[in-house]
Amino acid sequence: MTQLLPLSADEVLATTRAVRKRLDFDRPVEDEVLRECLELALQAPSGSNAQSWRFVVVTDPDKKQALGELYRQAFDIYEQLDGINAATIYRGDDPERLDQQQRVMGSARYLAERMGEVPAMLVPCMPGRTDAAPPVSAAAAYGSILPAVWSFMLAGRARGLGTSWTTLHLMFEQQAAEILGIPFEAWTQVALVSVGYTKGTDFKRATREPLETAVSFNGWDFDD
Ligand SMILES: Cc1cc2nc3c(=O)[nH]c(=O)nc-3n(C[C@H](O)[C@H](O)[C@H](O)COP(=O)(O)O)c2cc1C
């Protein structure tokens, strides 16, 4: 098995950052290491233990380049629209949060320019299409694959890999399906995870909103 970094489970959970600028674009990621991470990903839960997930690993330079180009085009649109979904953009006036958002956008732009060069990509897919599915179905569908994706990223962190969860290429999901030969009508892509070794392995805990702003016990005790 690959040598693991000396990190506790809590440290892995707290320091698995979206790695973009600190990605080592020149060091290939061994298939063996990717397989180890995927073996762990398959330990994740899925609704009714269906395990009806598919993971497409992309290391072929031409395919990465083609997906990278789609991603960059999508990122351009995203920037122009100031974020596709208002809920994913911070619109408050806390200078620290605004500063953080600025940094994320700068880092995201950097990855967008170089997406086609990342050492590996992971495209997780779930069965069927959820277009217009009711919440009970959509939650089961996405909930049956997204935990596995995060497990993959955590397993990568423990092995010195840096990942970034991305979704923007889904603006062009059908074109991406054609590049990878994914049967578009039968399988929905849920993300494009960039993968590479990190430059250095020391990553910090992120600054997040205080727990009280996101958690209440025994009922909804929030202002919104
Ligand atoms: C559902 C989802 C979609 C995301 N889409 C993108 C994306 O398209 N491009 C990108 O660069 N980062 C994307 N991210 C990464 C977020 O920007 C990142 O997780 C967030 O800024 C927190 O980063 P940190 O954990 O390193 O602090 C996405 C994350 C999630 C969970």
Side-chain angles (χ1 to χ4, degrees):
M1 200 182 88
T2 314
Q3 183 77 31
L4 299 184
L5 298 177
L7 297 171
S8 69
D10 279 9
E11 283 168 333
V12 170
L13 286 165
T15 64
T16 302
R17 298 271 74 76
V19 181
R20 306 183 186 93
K21 291 189 172 173
R22 285 181 60 192
L23 214 53
D24 188 342
F25 287 83
D26 300 321
R27 180 176 169 193
V29 178
E30 305 82 351
D31 287 357
E32 188 54 33
V33 178
L34 293 167
R35 283 181 189 283
E36 273 180 28
C37 297
L38 287 161
E39 286 280 4
L40 288 164
L42 298 193
Q43 294 292 316
S46 59
S48 307
N49 196 24
Q51 302 172 54
S52 47
W53 40 38
R54 299 287 184 273
F55 297 91
V56 182
V57 177
V58 191
T59 52
D60 175 82
D62 292 341
K63 291 187 176 168
K64 284 190 298 175
Q65 205 58 52
L67 290 173
E69 183 52 29
L70 282 186
Y71 182 81
R72 201 190 46 72
Q73 286 174 24
F75 194 85
D76 287 347
I77 295 171
Y78 169 76
E79 270 187 335
Q80 280 161 19
L81 295 179
D82 191 20
I84 296 293
N85 177 353
T88 67
I89 295 279
Y90 176 69
R91 298 189 191 277
D93 56 7
D94 176 354
E96 207 174 304
R97 282 294 306 274
L98 288 168
D99 189 51
Q100 190 182 40
Q101 183 151 308
Q102 201 68 29
R103 273 185 280 118
V104 170
M105 285 305 284
S107 158
R109 164 49 73 188
Y110 176 84
L111 180 65
E113 295 298 339
R114 304 198 63 182
M115 185 58 107
E117 303 167 50
V118 298
M121 295 169 171
L122 181 74
V123 180
C125 303
M126 64 182 187
R129 304 220 57 90
T130 53
D131 319 25
V136 64
S137 310
Y142 281 100
S144 292
I145 185 153
L146 300 187
V149 180
W150 183 234
S151 289
F152 170 86
M153 293 166 71
L154 295 170
R157 164 70 177 135
R159 286 160 180 74
L161 295 178
T163 52
S164 182
W165 192 306
T166 79
T167 44
L168 291 173
H169 89 287
L170 296 174
M171 284 185 209
F172 303 117
E173 187 194 348
Q174 197 150 6
Q175 288 96 315
E178 278 160 25
I179 292 166
L180 298 174
I182 297 169
F184 178 79
E185 295 303 333
W187 291 90
T188 300
Q189 299 162 54
V190 300
L192 189 166
V193 180
S194 52
V195 187
Y197 282 100
T198 55
K199 291 182 181 162
T201 55
D202 193 24
F203 286 85
K204 292 194 175 56
R205 201 181 169 96
T207 308
R208 298 286 196 236
E209 296 286 333
L211 194 66
E212 305 74 58
T213 63
V215 179
S216 79
F217 282 60
N218 301 316
W220 186 267
D221 186 15
F222 302 107
D223 295 334
D224 48 6

